[in-house]
Amino acid sequence: MSVKGDLVQLLKPYFLVNILLSLSYVVLKRVPGLCNHLFSTDDCEFDGRETEILFFLLIVVVMRSRKSGNVTMLSYLSSSFMYTKLANLILWFNADYLMGIVYAVLFVLGALLVPEPVYSSPDRVVYFRGLQALTEQLQADQATWLVAFYVAWSPACVNFAPVFAKLSNDFGVAALKFGKMDVGRYPEAGAQHRVSDSSLSKQLPTVILFQEGREVMRRPAADASGKLSKFLFSEENVRLAFGLSGLYERAQGDKKRN
């Protein structure tokens, strides 16, 4: 997504509300007048405890963003909102229990009323509804399939959605198809293809390449001991890892011969 597209996305209610909630304590504590009134103090500075909480928050956000493989501004923001809001909740309760309760109510209402927007642009992705649908398609179709196994609640899966959609538009043809399987909704599909849908899973998303109905490659991959190798789900990495350019050229060549 372009920088212009990111800026347009930032104007959506989800991002506006979460940015306000994430910055609420820092801004109100530092603005003279508001600070003096809300915190009943003449000194609009952070005390030692507040500084420690904010510094710890910064470390957590950076580490979690790196582990989740975020590569865009929106990805970083989405993955950091939960941590920044929890830090704000602690800061507000530390300052005043009543303000902490008010913030907690706003926190919950924001989550319920302003969900994160999902990718809705055109794509060439087939959404499988259940293990049987996926199995039948893989067995009946001679095409090569690239299938993303995901869950709706995972930030990493949400961030990967526009990347996968763009790849489907760029490379999707009759002999090279793209599909998605929600293993949160259809756990039997996750079990069959060894993709855990646990909240602690490091396999979300998992992308598997199928040829003639058999798995050929997957990312993230596991070594002999079962340890997963970290994989950054950027557009370029997926294209190179699965050799999509070569698969596309081969598919186009087969189409011309036919």
Side-chain angles (χ1 to χ4, degrees):
M1 186 178 293
S2 65
V3 173
K4 182 179 179 180
D6 284 351
L7 294 177
V8 171
Q9 286 286 100
L10 285 176
L11 297 178
K12 292 188 174 182
Y14 168 79
F15 287 100
L16 292 175
V17 169
N18 280 279
I19 288 173
L20 289 174
L21 290 173
S22 298
L23 297 177
S24 62
Y25 191 88
V26 172
V27 172
L28 293 175
K29 185 63 186 285
R30 295 289 294 170
V31 175
L34 290 175
C35 164
N36 305 130
H37 176 71
L38 286 173
F39 299 95
S40 302
T41 180
D42 296 326
D43 183 14
C44 294
E45 299 287 342
F46 298 124
D47 60 28
R49 181 175 177 78
E50 291 169 333
T51 302
E52 289 176 359
I53 293 173
L54 291 172
F55 185 71
F56 181 72
L57 168 65
L58 177 63
I59 295 174
V60 170
V61 168
V62 170
M63 291 182 63
R64 293 299 301 175
S65 295
R66 285 171 60 88
K67 289 182 68 175
S68 62
N70 298 313
V71 294
T72 67
M73 174 180 65
L74 295 181
S75 299
Y76 275 107
L77 285 175
S78 295
S79 65
S80 66
F81 281 148
M82 180 58 66
Y83 305 107
T84 55
K85 289 188 292 185
L86 285 175
N88 272 268
L89 185 62
I90 295 171
L91 288 166
W92 280 115
F93 268 110
N94 181 62
D96 183 272
Y97 279 105
L98 180 59
M99 289 191 289
I101 292 173
V102 171
Y103 184 86
V105 171
L106 293 175
F107 187 141
V108 174
L109 287 177
L112 294 176
L113 301 179
V114 192
E116 183 172 1
V118 296
Y119 182 81
S120 58
S121 295
D123 57 40
R124 296 181 181 178
V125 177
V126 176
Y127 290 82
F128 294 107
R129 298 184 177 181
L131 174 60
Q132 183 176 352
L134 173 61
T135 302
E136 290 178 352
Q137 186 67 65
L138 293 177
Q139 292 176 348
D141 201 333
Q142 295 300 311
T144 295
W145 279 90
L146 194 68
V147 181
F149 294 80
Y150 73 102
V151 291
W153 48 260
S154 166
C157 294
V158 172
N159 293 332
F160 181 55
V163 174
F164 195 71
K166 185 176 186 305
L167 289 170
S168 75
N169 286 327
D170 291 345
F171 297 100
V173 290
L176 176 58
K177 299 181 180 180
F178 290 73
K180 296 187 76 172
M181 171 61 74
D182 185 345
V183 294
R185 188 174 181 182
Y186 305 106
E188 67 278 5
Q192 176 68 27
H193 294 282
R194 307 186 311 281
V195 179
S196 171
D197 65 342
S198 165
S199 59
L200 301 177
S201 174
K202 296 181 179 180
Q203 294 180 285
L204 299 171
T206 287
V207 178
I208 302 179
L209 181 69
F210 295 94
Q211 291 181 326
E212 298 180 355
R214 295 190 298 273
E215 177 181 332
V216 176
M217 181 191 310
R218 73 166 59 201
R219 292 291 185 274
D223 59 22
S225 65
K227 182 179 180 181
L228 292 174
S229 299
K230 185 177 180 181
F231 184 78
L232 181 62
F233 280 95
S234 66
E235 179 183 341
E236 182 179 7
N237 283 355
V238 175
R239 178 173 57 81
L240 292 175
F242 293 96
L244 292 182
S245 296
L247 292 173
Y248 178 78
E249 291 176 3
R250 195 175 308 130
Q252 292 290 73
D254 292 341
K255 180 180 178 181
K256 291 178 181 178
R257 285 192 292 271
N258 293 332

